[in-house]
Amino acid sequence: TVDESELLTVPDGWKEPAFTREDNPKGLLEESSFATLFPKYREAYLRECWPLVQKALGEHYVNATLDLIEGSMTVTTTKKTFDPYVIIRARDLIKLLARSVPFEQAVRILQDDVACDIIKIGSLVRKRETFIKRRGRLLGPKGSTLKALELLTNCYIMVQGNTVSALGPFSGLKEVRKVVLDTMKNIHPIYNIKTLMIKRELSKDPELRTQSWERFLPKFKRKNLKKRKEPKKKNTKKEYTPFPPPQPESQIDKELASGEYFLKERQKKRKRMEEIKAKQADAVKKRQEERNKAFIPPKEKPAVKTKKASTEKKIDINAIKEKVKNAKKKKLGALPMEEVKLKMAADEKKKKKK
C-alpha cells in the first residue's frame, strides 16, 4: 500500500540514467543535419571558439562545419552516432551561438537535465519605442531584474535584439517564458518575481507541497485605469424649432444694401485700395507701438528717507563724577594703605624674634 501522492512526485535528487552505446548498439539508419545562419558581428567570436565546439560535439560523434562565406553553421550525424536526440541538442547549440550566447553557457545544452528556449519578442509590440522601453524593463537598472530572475529560475537568460534566449531546467524555462511574455504585455516583472520568491519558500515545506498555493500568492490589481478622453469641441444641442433658419444674404444683396452695387468699376477699385491702405496703416501703427515699448523707462520706486538715529541722549553728569572719584581712590596693581601698614608691622615682629 503506497500513497498515490508519492507516486506522482519525483523523489529529491533522482536523475535519469545517461543514454549509452549499450542502449543503441547498432547506431542510426539515416544521416540527419541541421543548419542555421548567424549575423556578421558573430563571425569573429565563432571563428575563435569553433575548435571547442567541434571538440564538444565530437565526444557525441557529431560533425560541425562553419561556412564563413555563406554565414552558416551546420551539424550532421555520423555512422558512430548512437544517441538519436543528440542532433537536436547540437541544433540548439548552434542556435544559441547565433543568438550571442557565449560558448561556456551554450555547451551546457548537451547535458540531459538542461534545455533551452528562444522567445521571439519583436512582433509582440507594435511601436518600436514602446518595445525598447519594455525590453529595458526586463533587464532592469544595471541588469538587476534579469539577475534576480536568473537566481529564482536557475536559468541563464540572454536578451539580444528581438529575442530572449534562456538555458536551464524545464521548470525554470516555463517561468522565464511567462515573465518575458507578461513584460511585453505591460505587466512589470517585479510582480512575477515576488510570486516566484513566495513559491520558492513554499516548496521548502514538505507539508505544503501537495496543497494548493493560491491563498499564499499575491493578487495584484491594475490601478492605472484609462480615462475617457473628452473632446476639445463639445457640441451642444440647440433648442428644437419647427421653422427653418433664415436664408443667408447673397453677395449681391449685401452690395445693394451698402450701395456698392451701383458704383462704377473704378470707384469699386478705389474703395478696395482705401480699405487695404487703412488696414496697413493700423498694422504699422501697432508695430511701432510695440517697438516704442522698449524705450519707455520703467517706473522708479520712490526713495525712502532713512531716519537719522537720535544721538541726543540725556547724560547724567553727577553719575560720571562719582565714577571718576572712585577710580582715583583705587590704584591699579597696588594694595590699599591700611593693608600695607599691617604687612610692614608683621615683618618687623619676625625680625625681632630672630
Side-chain angles (χ1 to χ4, degrees), residues 222-243:
R222 286 192 179 184
K223 291 180 182 178
N224 54 341
L225 298 170
K226 287 183 179 179
K227 292 180 180 178
R228 185 178 170 274
K229 288 182 180 178
E230 293 182 358
K232 289 180 180 178
K233 291 180 181 179
K234 291 182 180 179
N235 297 326
T236 53
K237 285 186 178 180
K238 295 176 182 178
E239 291 181 5
Y240 173 73
T241 53
F243 306 105

Side-chain angles (χ1 to χ4, degrees), residues 285-344:
K285 193 179 178 182
K286 283 180 181 178
R287 211 178 297 131
Q288 199 66 36
E289 283 174 2
E290 285 179 4
R291 285 178 182 174
N292 291 336
K293 278 180 185 178
F295 299 103
I296 297 165
K299 289 181 180 180
E300 292 183 0
K301 292 179 181 179
V304 181
K305 290 181 180 180
T306 53
K307 292 179 181 180
K308 290 182 180 179
S310 58
T311 52
E312 294 177 2
K313 288 180 181 179
K314 291 179 181 180
I315 299 164
D316 194 358
I317 297 163
N318 295 326
I320 293 164
K321 283 181 179 179
E322 283 178 8
K323 281 181 181 179
V324 171
K325 280 180 183 179
N326 291 333
K328 281 181 180 179
K329 284 177 182 177
K330 286 181 181 180
K331 290 180 181 179
L332 295 168
L335 294 166
M337 290 299 290
E338 291 174 1
E339 286 184 15
V340 171
K341 285 177 181 178
L342 289 167
K343 211 170 188 181
M344 286 173 73

Side-chain angles (χ1 to χ4, degrees), residues 24-61:
N24 186 17
K26 293 182 180 181
L28 306 175
L29 293 171
E30 294 291 331
E31 186 184 281
S32 303
S33 66
F34 288 100
T36 186
L37 299 171
F38 61 86
K40 186 75 176 173
Y41 63 86
R42 291 291 289 169
E43 188 179 318
Y45 180 78
L46 290 171
R47 200 186 293 175
E48 285 179 11
C49 72
W50 198 249
L52 297 170
V53 174
Q54 285 179 324
K55 188 184 176 184
L57 292 172
E59 291 173 5
H60 299 274
Y61 305 102

Side-chain angles (χ1 to χ4, degrees), residues 225-267:
L225 298 170
K226 287 183 179 179
K227 292 180 180 178
R228 185 178 170 274
K229 288 182 180 178
E230 293 182 358
K232 289 180 180 178
K233 291 180 181 179
K234 291 182 180 179
N235 297 326
T236 53
K237 285 186 178 180
K238 295 176 182 178
E239 291 181 5
Y240 173 73
T241 53
F243 306 105
Q247 197 166 354
E249 289 183 348
S250 64
Q251 190 66 27
I252 296 164
D253 291 338
K254 288 176 183 178
E255 286 179 0
L256 284 166
S258 62
E260 195 181 340
Y261 184 77
F262 303 103
L263 295 173
K264 290 178 182 179
E265 195 65 36
R266 282 182 187 176
Q267 290 172 334

